[in-house]
Amino acid sequence: MTLDGEKDHSRSHRGLTRAQVIDAALVIIDGQGTGALTMRRLADALGVYPATIYWHAGNRAELVAHVCRHILSGIEVPDVSELSWDEWIRRFAYETRRTFSEHPNLAADFASEIHVSSTGLSVANNLLSVLTRAGFRTEDLVPAYNTVLAGIFGWISAEFATEPALNDADWATAFEHTLSNVDADEMPALHDALPEISNRGFMLRWASGRTAPMGESFEFAMETMIAGLGVMLRKTGSSNAR
């Protein structure tokens, strides 16, 4: 800040690093969501002109890609040769969810945009290596690959979806009341499951996974996915032990 209270924009692009830009962008996303990230807001937060942000990170889409790459690079999984194919996918799934749970605003929007980065290529290469080693070949490899990534990232995006805007402070109470008064004759299956599924099932919850994590359901989904992949391997007779 200058003495007269105005922001000091004197720092040039040489006084700022791309890593600092990415970190500052992530702070905005974590605090206010991806929609709040603008080049002007980020520049103000860093005390520079917007042109400096463009210099370091490109346009907004490129900036978001940098942030996503930064998060993806934090996902720690063993070398593809250290675990069986199913255990590697299991570890990758849980580590990915853990990493994105620390940045739920980004998790909620991650699957809604196409992200291309060198880190993403590394993730793709590792998964393809694991699936190929498992025995997936030719026409089965692409569906298996898409099933794993969509199963993991799609779940995470849905679990950490944002709650409705707080323009109606009583919306959660109202929805809970509606759910608890479901007619047993009109919707018997839903009525009978309510004690267990209220606020724990998609389309039947009023709290995001940010405050009401869905860990047990995630585990079930991943085990089901992995078991299904195993069935497909046995069906084609192409499974190998590792």
Side-chain angles (χ1 to χ4, degrees):
M1 300 291 289
T2 60
L3 292 178
D4 61 4
E6 296 180 355
K7 285 185 173 62
D8 180 7
H9 295 281
S10 61
R11 285 197 296 175
S12 70
H13 60 262
R14 296 183 181 86
L16 193 66
T17 67
R18 175 179 290 178
Q20 289 173 319
V21 172
I22 293 172
D23 286 343
L26 186 55
V27 168
I28 293 175
I29 292 173
D30 283 345
Q32 305 173 61
T34 54
L37 179 63
T38 66
M39 306 307 260
R40 168 62 66 183
R41 178 169 291 166
L42 181 57
D44 288 344
L46 289 168
V48 298
Y49 287 113
T52 302
I53 306 300
Y54 286 101
W55 173 275
H56 285 287
N59 59 33
R60 186 184 181 281
E62 292 171 313
L63 172 60
V64 173
H66 285 307
V67 174
C68 290
R69 181 171 62 215
H70 173 64
I71 299 302
L72 286 173
S73 66
I75 299 174
E76 298 179 4
V77 292
D79 184 88
V80 296
S81 64
E82 294 179 1
L83 299 172
S84 61
W85 70 269
D86 52 339
E87 184 58 27
W88 189 94
I89 291 176
R90 186 176 290 110
R91 292 275 292 274
F92 174 62
Y94 283 105
E95 179 63 17
T96 300
R97 179 174 178 268
R98 184 200 63 77
T99 299
F100 274 89
S101 70
E102 298 174 356
H103 307 283
N105 285 335
L106 186 63
D109 293 332
F110 185 81
S112 66
E113 295 183 25
I114 293 178
H115 301 283
V116 179
S117 70
S118 57
T119 305
L121 295 180
S122 178
V123 169
N125 180 71
N126 287 337
L127 178 55
L128 287 169
S129 297
V130 167
L131 292 173
T132 300
R133 183 160 53 87
F136 286 100
R137 297 288 189 276
T138 58
E139 69 274 7
D140 293 326
L141 181 59
V142 173
Y145 169 86
N146 285 333
T147 294
V148 173
L149 289 188
I152 296 172
F153 288 104
W155 176 284
I156 291 171
S157 295
E159 178 179 359
F160 296 105
T162 56
E163 297 169 358
L166 298 180
N167 54 358
D168 181 358
D170 296 324
W171 70 266
T173 301
F175 182 67
E176 182 179 3
H177 176 75
T178 298
L179 205 56
S180 64
N181 285 279
V182 166
D183 188 277
D185 294 326
E186 185 178 350
M187 301 181 182
L190 175 57
H191 178 271
D192 292 346
L194 282 177
E196 291 296 326
I197 204 169
S198 288
N199 206 31
R200 298 179 61 198
F202 294 125
M203 301 181 73
L204 301 172
R205 58 184 181 146
W206 51 88
S208 168
R210 303 155 191 253
T211 55
M214 304 172 74
E216 290 184 3
S217 292
F218 179 75
E219 179 180 356
F220 186 93
M222 294 304 104
E223 292 303 322
T224 300
M225 177 183 73
I226 292 170
L229 291 171
V231 169
M232 295 304 295
L233 284 171
R234 291 191 293 274
K235 183 177 180 180
T236 58
S238 58
S239 179
N240 48 48
R242 283 180 58 85

